[in-house]
Amino acid sequence: MSGRRIGFWYRMAAVLCKPPLVVLFKRDWHGMEHIPADGGFITAINHNSYLDPLSYAHFQYNTGRVPRFLAKAALFRGGFMGSMLRGTGQIPVYRESTDAANAFRAAVDAINKGECVAFYPEGTLTRDPDMWPMRGKTGAARVALLTKAPVIPVAQWGANEAVPPYAKEKRVRLFPRKTLKVLAGPPVDLSGFYGQEPTAEVLRAATDAIMDAITDLLSEVRGEPAPVHRHDRPTSTTSTDGPPLPLADEESK
C-alpha cells in the first residue's frame, strides 16, 4: 500500500506554510531517497526548536509521503488548528490518562495501513547544553518492533537558530536568513531485536540504536563529533516546552 494520500487538508497546510518557509529560509536537504516510496514506516527525528515540525513536514511533504505526527490532545479540541490536525490525520496523545495507549495503537494501525508516523523520540525539546539529542523514550522502538516497519533516522539543524529552544527572550531570529538542514539516513537495523520479548532492556537497546543513528547524522550535518555520553532529561514531569506543538510519544509508565 502506498499510504495516506495528500488530501485537501494537507494541501491546505502546504499552501499556508510552504510560502513563508521558502521565502524566509534556505534549505539544505539530503537523503530523500531513504524515504520509502510505499508501505508503512517510521521516521525518528531530533528535536531542538519549536519550528521543527514545520521544517521537517516541509521536507517529507516534498517526497510525496506525508507524515502523521503525535500531538497533544488539547490541540484537537476545536478551532481551525483542531480541524487542521484532524483533517491531516495527526494522532492525539492523551498524556497521563486512561486514553494514553490510544496513540500507540493509532500509530501501529497507521503503519499497518501503509502510512508514515513521525516520532520525536526524545519526547521534548533537547535539554542538552550543546543541543545534541538526548536519551530517547521507547515509544518509537515499541512500535517498530511490533510492526517491523523501517525506521528512518533523521537529523535536522537550523530551525534552532531562528527559533531557539528555551530562550529567555521569546524572539524569532529570521535575519540573516537561516538554512534549514535536514538529513535522512538509511533504515536503522533492528532485526536483531525481532522475536525477542519486549523487556525494558530490549526496548532500551533498540531505542539507543535509533538515537545513535540520529546522532551520527546530526554529527555529519554539524560537521563536528558528538559527545560520548548522551544527556538525559530532567526527572521532573512538569512540562516547560513552551507552545504546544507536535510532540513525540509518551513512554509507558
Side-chain angles (χ1 to χ4, degrees), residues 237-253:
T237 58
T238 302
S239 176
T240 57
D241 290 352
L245 292 174
L247 298 175
D249 59 289
E250 269 298 302
E251 190 169 5
S252 297
K253 297 181 180 181

Side-chain angles (χ1 to χ4, degrees), residues 45 47 70-71 93 95 118-124 137 245-251:
I45 316 149
H47 195 14
L70 285 82
V93 177
R95 292 188 169 186
F119 283 85
Y120 290 105
E122 296 163 271
T124 185
K137 293 187 176 183
L245 292 174
L247 298 175
D249 59 289
E250 269 298 302
E251 190 169 5

Side-chain angles (χ1 to χ4, degrees), residues 107-182:
V108 171
D109 289 344
I111 291 168
N112 287 337
K113 291 177 182 176
E115 300 178 20
C116 168
V117 176
F119 283 85
Y120 290 105
E122 296 163 271
T124 185
L125 289 163
T126 182
R127 299 300 184 95
D128 183 272
D130 295 317
M131 304 188 74
W132 291 99
M134 297 191 300
R135 188 172 186 256
K137 293 187 176 183
T138 61
R142 290 173 185 270
V143 174
L145 297 185
L146 183 61
T147 62
K148 296 184 173 60
V151 178
I152 309 301
V154 181
Q156 55 181 5
W157 187 257
N160 53 294
E161 296 174 346
V163 185
Y166 311 117
K168 293 181 180 179
E169 298 180 7
K170 300 296 184 181
R171 292 190 302 174
V172 176
R173 304 167 184 173
L174 298 178
F175 302 102
R177 197 166 172 235
K178 308 299 189 293
T179 299
L180 300 180
K181 300 178 180 179
V182 182

Side-chain angles (χ1 to χ4, degrees), residues 29-253:
W29 292 348
H30 300 279
M32 283 186 174
E33 68 275 10
H34 296 302
I35 301 297
D38 52 46
F41 66 102
I42 293 166
T43 54
I45 316 149
N46 67 304
H47 195 14
N48 56 27
S49 172
Y50 302 129
L51 189 61
D52 283 348
L54 291 180
S55 174
Y56 180 70
H58 187 191
F59 170 86
Q60 192 170 322
Y61 182 91
N62 279 29
T63 71
R65 299 298 308 275
V66 294
R68 294 182 66 182
F69 290 93
L70 285 82
K72 290 181 179 179
L75 292 177
F76 292 76
R77 290 175 184 165
F80 180 75
M81 174 68 77
S83 297
M84 184 72 74
L85 290 173
R86 291 190 297 271
T88 55
Q90 309 313 310
I91 299 171
V93 177
Y94 300 87
R95 292 188 169 186
E96 298 181 2
S97 78
T98 56
D99 295 323
N102 287 346
F104 176 86
R105 287 191 289 268
V108 171
D109 289 344
I111 291 168
N112 287 337
K113 291 177 182 176
E115 300 178 20
C116 168
V117 176
F119 283 85
Y120 290 105
E122 296 163 271
T124 185
L125 289 163
T126 182
R127 299 300 184 95
D128 183 272
D130 295 317
M131 304 188 74
W132 291 99
M134 297 191 300
R135 188 172 186 256
K137 293 187 176 183
T138 61
R142 290 173 185 270
V143 174
L145 297 185
L146 183 61
T147 62
K148 296 184 173 60
V151 178
I152 309 301
V154 181
Q156 55 181 5
W157 187 257
N160 53 294
E161 296 174 346
V163 185
Y166 311 117
K168 293 181 180 179
E169 298 180 7
K170 300 296 184 181
R171 292 190 302 174
V172 176
R173 304 167 184 173
L174 298 178
F175 302 102
R177 197 166 172 235
K178 308 299 189 293
T179 299
L180 300 180
K181 300 178 180 179
V182 182
L183 174 61
V188 181
D189 184 5
L190 299 178
S191 60
F193 301 105
Y194 294 165
Q196 295 189 40
E197 183 71 21
T199 62
E201 291 75 16
V202 167
L203 292 172
R204 172 50 46 199
T207 299
D208 287 344
I210 293 170
M211 296 309 301
D212 286 346
I214 296 171
T215 302
D216 288 346
L217 290 172
L218 185 59
S219 179
E220 183 177 343
V221 169
R222 294 176 59 170
E224 56 184 298
V228 175
H229 299 291
R230 187 165 291 129
H231 187 79
D232 202 354
R233 63 186 43 78
T235 56
S236 171
T237 58
T238 302
S239 176
T240 57
D241 290 352
L245 292 174
L247 298 175
D249 59 289
E250 269 298 302
E251 190 169 5
S252 297
K253 297 181 180 181

